[in-house]
Amino acid sequence: MVKKDLLSVYDLSAKEVKSILTESLELKNSKKCLDVFRGKTLGLLLEKPSTRTMVSFAVAMTQLGGTSIFLNVEKMQRSRGESIHDTALVLSHYLDGLMVRAFKHSDVEEFAKYSTIPVINGLTDYEHPCQILADIMTIMELHRIKTVDSLKKIKIVYIGDSNNIANSLLAVAAILGLDLTIISPKEYSTKKEVLNKALKYTPSTGAEIKITSDVDAAKNADVIYTDVWISMGFEAEEKRRKKIFAPYQVNGELLKKVSSKCVVLHCRPAIRGEEITADIMDKYESSIFTEAANRLHAQKAILLHFMK
Ligand code: CP
Ligand code: NVA
């Protein structure tokens, strides 16, 4: 069997996204533990910190009858210069799947190239596909949407840095034909090549994609989604970013524009008082926690799709 990797949301067809979302919701509702991965091990290779992704993947493997192993790059020979090529080949002999969180997207692509086992992107500077699958699942759950096709009537607004989260959200919107507005300051707007890739899908899927720097575009939003202004690896730009992103904060003023059924999402970790105010974080605690909790169910559906 040819192995399949999840490096980008674009590695999935609309049919596959729908199947993962349906399975995630079913797994959550049935609370089932399956025994499909007995004797199998997932490696969790992390170059950057993680709470949700690391733990939800580990627990997902346990609940599917398998096991997982944390691979801290600092403690591996990679930190002394062993190549990705050699590391990937060796790990492929021990493991049945590998989740990688890396600084550079190209490094995860290189792991996939040389591994003979499925490689799953657990976040890079370019995409965070597993997070976004859990987010769409969460939107369906919170808005009580039964079929993926009904998602099209939900206006999703992402506000903040056009980072890995925004890129993956854009990709899923393009593939499923969703209504997505991304609001970012011009300097940190979606890159041309990233947008062009998404726009290739819109004629066939009917996705409504809007990229703007105007916060008024949040009008009538059914979902407001934000993320940190300073992603991991961009700490050197902290001062500049805080100044430029200030008008793009999710706060009471912004939420005056949205629809009455609007929910707020944040992939976390969140910095209260920066991208989102503490009062809004508290007010929408339930939706933001559901989002984090759903990572577990989405990871199980992802593992079943790629490792079974
Ligand atoms: N949202 C998310 O990926 O969280 P972690 O960085 O804790 O994994
Ligand atoms: N954009 C954030 C997401 C963290 C889950 C980062 O890359 O740091």
Side-chain angles (χ1 to χ4, degrees), residues 162-305:
S162 293
N163 56 15
N164 41 13
I165 294 290
N167 289 349
S168 290
L169 194 54
L170 178 60
V172 87
I175 292 169
L176 294 182
L178 308 184
D179 179 346
L180 173 69
T181 300
I182 297 182
I183 309 174
S184 302
K186 281 200 176 72
E187 298 89 323
Y188 292 101
S189 187
T190 303
K191 292 198 169 56
K192 218 180 212 156
E193 64 275 17
V194 176
L195 178 60
N196 287 343
K197 194 165 179 179
L199 293 180
K200 282 194 188 134
Y201 287 76
T202 54
S204 58
T205 65
E208 302 218 13
I209 307 289
K210 187 171 178 190
I211 307 286
T212 178
S213 57
D214 180 6
V215 292
D216 281 338
K219 198 167 167 224
N220 296 328
D222 299 310
V223 175
I224 289 282
Y225 190 163
T226 192
D227 183 19
V228 286
W229 291 340
I230 302 139
S231 286
M232 291 179 275
F234 294 87
E235 290 78 5
E237 297 174 25
E238 181 175 344
K239 217 167 146 198
R240 177 180 156 75
R241 281 176 172 257
K242 278 188 181 167
K243 205 167 149 207
I244 291 176
F245 282 110
Y248 296 84
Q249 185 185 57
V250 174
N251 53 32
E253 205 47 42
L254 180 88
L255 292 180
K256 282 184 188 160
K257 303 179 198 297
V258 303
S259 86
S260 55
K261 58 178 182 181
C262 184
V263 297
V264 173
L265 298 182
H266 191 312
C267 58
R268 291 174 185 259
I271 304 199
R272 290 163 181 247
E274 288 193 11
E275 73 277 2
I276 188 164
T277 53
D279 61 328
I280 298 300
M281 195 80 190
D282 291 341
K283 186 170 170 197
Y284 290 91
E285 190 184 68
S286 158
S287 61
I288 298 172
F289 269 117
T290 300
E291 181 185 13
N294 281 345
R295 295 292 308 275
L296 172 63
H297 310 290
Q299 311 302 34
K300 284 196 273 185
I302 291 166
L303 290 171
L304 287 170
H305 191 83

Side-chain angles (χ1 to χ4, degrees), residues 46 48-56 101 122-123 128 131 165 225 227 232 266-269 291-292 295 299:
L46 297 148
K48 308 187 205 186
S50 171
T51 300
R52 282 143 287 265
T53 309
M54 175 175 72
V55 179
S56 59
R101 170 168 286 200
L123 181 147
H128 196 0
Q131 174 71 52
I165 294 290
Y225 190 163
D227 183 19
M232 291 179 275
H266 191 312
C267 58
R268 291 174 185 259
E291 181 185 13
R295 295 292 308 275
Q299 311 302 34

